[in-house]
Amino acid sequence: MNQYACDHAMSSMRITAHFQGIWVPMVTPFRDGELDLDAAQQLACELAASGVDGLVVCGTTGEAAMLSAAEHTMLLDSVLEAIGPRFPVVMGIGGSDTRSVVATVQRYHDHPLAGLLISAPSYVRPSQDGIVRHFEAIAAATDQSIVLYNVPARTGVNIEPQTAALLARDSHFVAIKEAGGKLQQLGELLLDTRLDVLCGDDALLLASLSMGGHGAMSAAAQVRPDLYAQLYHLVKQGRHGAAGALFKTMLPVIRLLFAEPNPGPVKAALAMQGKVRDELRLPMTPMSSAGRDKLAEALEPLMQLPVWAVSDRDAPREGCLLQLVSASNLMPAVRQDDHRHHG
């Protein structure tokens, strides 16, 4: 039994009842080809203090496909050591073979996770019935909450809204990260399922929230996470004019962050901020020099915007106080906590 099962005894309960707000799929820092766990912990601490609602480890942005199984676990354990278990963390899991995915899921049975982010099987392009049976087999093997991940541009198959609604009858399935690029499908998910619907296309974030979306899992958010949290709360407060003005300022950077394959531009931006090295594992490559020049220019006005703190919300709800030690000072931040324990 691992340290989390011993210390927290949380393997038989699901930590998170709702997936709402802004969740950040972290990049995986490297140093000379190896995991840079110190940088990962520092980045996790900074993100947790920024006002976002949760983190994702080993998602697409985390270059999970280029990590070994041992590295997946090492990275997750390091992030949980830094910020868990009281700050929600989701583990990303992918794969085409149902048996292998089930075995992977079972490795994290005793980790204090908010849930698992699991994409549809990639490359094999199963039928919708195959997708249902794939996820049903996974759900039967875990007590963790599951966030469906629909990203047809990478997997080659779309999780249809009817399929998501069918899976949602099982309480294991609590949310969906919808990255199909179609607002119509996102709207159908909102209308026809009980799932929390999280936008996975950063350029559609404002439109998604305005339609009633529950939040986002946003790779771009780790560049200025406080602004994404601010945008979310502005929409929830009905301050659509202010939200629109803020998003208009954010959009040029969002577009550049996805102008080349993710996470190259995101790592380039974080390297400019001194947070990680601009290093990726093949076949992923760093952002081009021309792209970096454009990104640096676009980042300048965004970085000059005032830092938004959770305490800046109107009538903030009581939450937990995160005290994170940086090299220079203590950084307290009060965050909203929509993630309730339940059995």
Side-chain angles (χ1 to χ4, degrees):
M1 185 175 291
N2 65 34
Q3 61 176 314
Y4 303 109
C6 295
D7 294 345
H8 307 294
M10 302 177 83
S11 62
S12 62
M13 66 176 64
R14 297 184 205 145
I15 301 173
T16 299
H18 299 289
F19 282 81
Q20 300 184 4
I22 303 298
W23 293 66
V24 179
M26 289 178 53
V27 301
T28 296
F30 297 116
R31 181 176 290 272
D32 300 326
E34 303 298 325
L35 294 181
D36 187 345
L37 297 179
D38 289 339
Q41 289 189 323
Q42 181 63 30
L43 181 61
C45 287
E46 292 176 4
L47 289 169
S50 68
V52 301
D53 293 88
L55 302 182
V56 180
V57 175
C58 290
T60 303
T61 305
E63 298 175 74
M66 278 67 78
L67 304 181
S68 68
E71 287 176 323
H72 285 181
T73 301
M74 287 170 57
L75 184 60
L76 175 62
D77 286 346
S78 293
V79 170
L80 289 173
E81 180 183 19
I83 63 170
R86 297 303 174 187
F87 192 84
V89 175
V90 163
M91 182 64 175
I93 294 175
S96 301
D97 173 42
T98 303
R99 293 171 301 173
S100 295
V101 175
V102 166
T104 300
V105 163
Q106 291 175 328
R107 289 207 301 267
Y108 301 109
H109 179 73
D110 291 325
H111 285 69
L113 296 170
L116 305 171
L117 175 67
I118 306 180
S119 58
S122 62
Y123 183 73
V124 295
R125 301 184 68 185
S127 66
Q128 294 299 302
D129 180 57
I131 292 173
V132 169
R133 294 171 65 179
H134 175 76
F135 279 108
E136 286 178 342
I138 294 168
T142 182
D143 287 331
Q144 302 277 9
S145 295
I146 297 172
V147 180
L148 301 169
Y149 184 12
N150 186 39
V151 56
R154 291 186 181 272
T155 64
V157 64
N158 184 48
I159 302 176
E160 300 289 345
Q162 299 89 336
T163 299
L166 181 61
L167 289 169
R169 296 177 184 176
D170 184 331
S171 64
H172 282 87
F173 300 99
V174 296
I176 183 167
K177 177 181 178 180
E178 175 53 44
K182 297 179 180 178
L183 286 174
Q184 179 178 346
Q185 177 153 316
L186 191 144
E188 290 176 11
L189 290 167
L190 288 168
L191 288 173
D192 299 334
T193 79
R194 62 167 187 80
L195 299 171
D196 288 334
V197 180
L198 303 172
C199 180
D201 294 292
D202 291 47
L204 300 180
L205 175 56
L206 179 59
S208 170
L209 292 175
S210 299
M211 291 171 60
H214 301 101
M217 285 187 172
S218 167
Q222 65 201 295
V223 176
R224 271 299 300 266
D226 60 304
L227 297 182
Y228 288 76
Q230 181 182 19
L231 180 73
Y232 171 78
H233 288 290
L234 285 172
V235 174
K236 292 302 176 184
Q237 293 163 2
R239 298 168 63 185
H240 296 287
L246 175 58
F247 191 68
K248 185 176 180 180
T249 303
M250 296 161 60
L251 192 54
V253 171
I254 290 174
R255 287 174 173 160
L256 285 170
L257 289 174
F258 295 97
E260 297 182 23
N262 180 48
V266 175
K267 276 195 168 177
L270 293 174
M272 293 173 195
Q273 298 172 335
K275 296 182 178 181
V276 303
R277 282 193 174 188
D278 192 7
E279 182 177 339
L280 294 87
R281 279 188 179 170
L282 288 172
M284 305 310 297
T285 55
M287 193 177 198
S288 65
S289 58
R292 286 198 301 272
D293 290 343
K294 292 178 182 178
L295 182 58
E297 182 179 356
L299 275 173
E300 188 172 347
L302 192 71
M303 300 307 295
Q304 290 176 355
L305 292 178
V307 174
W308 182 85
V310 181
S311 56
D312 293 336
R313 286 198 314 260
D314 294 334
R317 284 168 34 177
E318 226 176 18
C320 64
L321 182 66
L322 298 176
Q323 292 190 342
L324 306 171
V325 180
S326 69
S328 57
N329 61 346
L330 275 172
M331 299 172 56
V334 179
R335 57 174 289 277
Q336 183 178 357
D337 192 354
D338 282 334
H339 310 283
R340 305 174 180 87
H341 295 270
H342 71 105

